């Protein structure tokens, strides 16, 4: 499979020979939009390697509140935490679009990682990056106002997933993933009405443009500066 895997993804971190062998592991499977790939609380021990499409990781509280935890794209692994820990799934993974993936059993993944130290390093880098992202959200909650918190989430999503806008000058980017305002609010740890006000404020500053379930970053360098995000990839 010839593909330019984003450098923020697991596949994007691998050497070409290692990547090609991993893409031959497991069983290919396809999911339609809105289908659950993995279910919170399930005891299964496989992981999924996303080969096309976009998925969301959602956690449900006992109160019934659903929170968006993460967005994953082609090249990413999902389900690895429960598989490594041998504990129930901590979230539900849902297809946002048509998705293809490879189901890889944990024993096969462990054998693969033993044979390929670069893949083991990539797993460690991936897990560290995800922990850093979660830690930043905890710091943001105390350190920044609501508009800055939302801007920081948008900036980091932009660094990881955005695509240059066709009408842009290199500074404009489409966010690259379809998110509702409720989902953005979840990522930033904001109430929905607060997220809506913050998004309007960012738009009034000329940093973003909104359309139906899509956000365009009007000036990436200015957004990074406003959000106090350094220009490296957080994932």
């Amino acid at each position: 499979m010839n593909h330019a895997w984003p450098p923020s993804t697991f596949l994007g971190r691998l050497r070409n020979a290692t990547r090609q062998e991993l893409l031959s592991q497991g069983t290919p499977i396809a999911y339609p939009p809105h289908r659950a790939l993995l279910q919170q609380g399930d005891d299964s021990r496989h992981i999924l390697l996303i080969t096309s499409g976009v998925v969301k990781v959602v956690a449900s509280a006992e109160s019934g509140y659903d929170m968006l935890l993460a967005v994953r794209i082609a090249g990413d692994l999902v389900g690895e935490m429960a598989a490594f820990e041998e504990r129930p799934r901590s979230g539900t993974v849902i297809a946002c679009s048509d998705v293809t993936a490879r189901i890889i059993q944990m024993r096969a993944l462990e054998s693969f990682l033993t044979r390929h130290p670069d893949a083991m390093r990539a797993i460690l880098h991936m897990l560290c990056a995800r922990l850093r992202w979660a830690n930043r959200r905890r710091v943001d909650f105390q350190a920044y106002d609501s508009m800055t918190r939302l801007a920081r989430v948008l900036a980091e999503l932009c660094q990881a997933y955005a695509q240059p806008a066709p009408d842009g000058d290199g500074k404009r980017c489409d966010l690259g993933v379809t998110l509702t305002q409720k989902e953005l609010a979840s990522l930033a740890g904001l109430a929905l009405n607060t997220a809506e006000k913050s998004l309007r404020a960012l738009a009034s500053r000329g940093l973003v443009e909104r359309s139906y379930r899509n956000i365009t970053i009007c000036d990436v360098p200015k957004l990074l500066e406003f959000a106090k995000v350094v220009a490296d990839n957080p994932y």
Side-chain angles (χ1 to χ4, degrees), residues 22-220:
L22 181 60
L23 286 167
S24 69
Q25 301 291 306
T27 304
I29 190 169
Y31 302 90
H34 313 302
R35 176 70 58 84
L37 286 68
L38 300 170
Q39 193 73 45
Q40 182 174 338
D42 186 63
D43 290 325
S44 58
R45 292 289 174 264
H46 63 275
I47 62 101
L48 289 172
L49 174 63
I50 307 300
T51 52
S52 70
V54 178
V55 301
K56 299 173 185 177
V57 185
V58 179
S60 299
E62 292 180 358
S63 64
Y65 180 76
D66 291 334
M67 172 174 284
L68 177 64
L69 298 180
V71 176
R72 302 287 181 241
I73 61 173
D76 279 328
L77 291 179
V78 292
E80 77 290 336
M81 187 166 65
F84 279 123
E85 290 188 309
E86 298 186 351
R87 297 183 62 182
R89 307 283 185 191
S90 59
T92 297
V93 179
I94 301 171
C96 303
S97 60
D98 289 318
V99 168
T100 61
R102 299 194 74 88
I103 299 175
I104 304 175
Q105 298 300 325
M106 190 59 200
R107 184 171 298 178
L109 179 63
E110 289 174 337
S111 175
F112 178 83
L113 294 176
T114 299
R115 297 194 307 274
H116 296 282
D118 63 313
M120 179 67 79
R121 288 192 297 271
I123 283 273
L124 293 174
H125 290 166
M126 178 192 75
L127 294 174
C128 288
R130 292 178 182 181
L131 177 59
R132 283 198 306 273
W133 191 91
N135 286 341
R136 276 200 291 272
R137 298 290 76 79
R138 295 177 65 185
V139 172
D140 289 355
F141 189 77
Q142 296 293 332
Y144 299 106
D145 60 45
S146 58
M147 183 164 62
T148 305
R149 284 159 59 188
L150 184 62
R152 287 173 66 81
V153 167
L154 289 172
E156 292 184 357
L157 288 172
C158 174
Q159 287 177 297
Y161 305 127
Q163 301 293 326
D167 58 344
D169 56 0
K171 295 182 178 180
R172 288 174 59 88
C173 286
D174 292 325
L175 194 55
V177 292
T178 300
L179 298 175
T180 65
Q181 291 190 16
K182 181 179 179 182
E183 289 167 337
L184 277 175
S186 292
L187 285 177
L190 300 172
L192 177 57
N193 62 338
T194 303
E196 290 171 343
K197 291 177 182 177
S198 297
L199 195 57
R200 285 197 299 270
L202 292 173
S204 71
R205 288 173 175 261
L207 296 176
V208 302
E209 291 178 359
R210 299 177 296 164
S211 58
Y212 177 68
R213 302 192 73 178
N214 186 58
I215 294 177
T216 297
I217 309 301
C218 301
D219 191 318
V220 173

